[in-house]
């Protein structure tokens, strides 16, 4: 999700039913889930925006 906007991340979390924690403002620079990994069993997503 690197480079995604806050609104895009919120939409994805809503669709997938994930609890979302957002830190900062701007665009995604870090995420708690490894890129291209399976999200089965993931209940919470944390993203850092900068």
């Amino acid at each position: 999700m690197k480079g995604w906007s806050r609104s895009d991340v919120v939409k994805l979390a809503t669709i997938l039913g994930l609890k979302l924690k957002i830190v900062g403002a701007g665009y995604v620079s870090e995420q708690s889930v490894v890129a291209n990994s399976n999200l089965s069993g993931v209940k919470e997503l944390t993203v850092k925006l900068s």
Side-chain angles (χ1 to χ4, degrees):
M1 292 181 289
K2 191 169 185 176
W4 285 28
S5 69
R6 177 187 185 102
S7 63
D8 288 340
V9 173
V10 170
K11 288 176 192 172
L12 178 66
T14 301
I15 290 168
L16 297 177
L18 298 175
K19 182 177 177 184
L20 181 60
K21 180 178 177 185
I22 299 175
V23 178
Y27 293 90
V28 176
S29 59
E30 295 178 29
Q31 63 198 42
S32 61
V33 177
V34 177
N36 299 314
S37 65
N38 188 328
L39 294 176
S40 314
V42 174
K43 302 216 183 280
E44 183 174 297
L45 175 62
T46 302
V47 292
K48 180 178 178 184
L49 308 180
S50 59

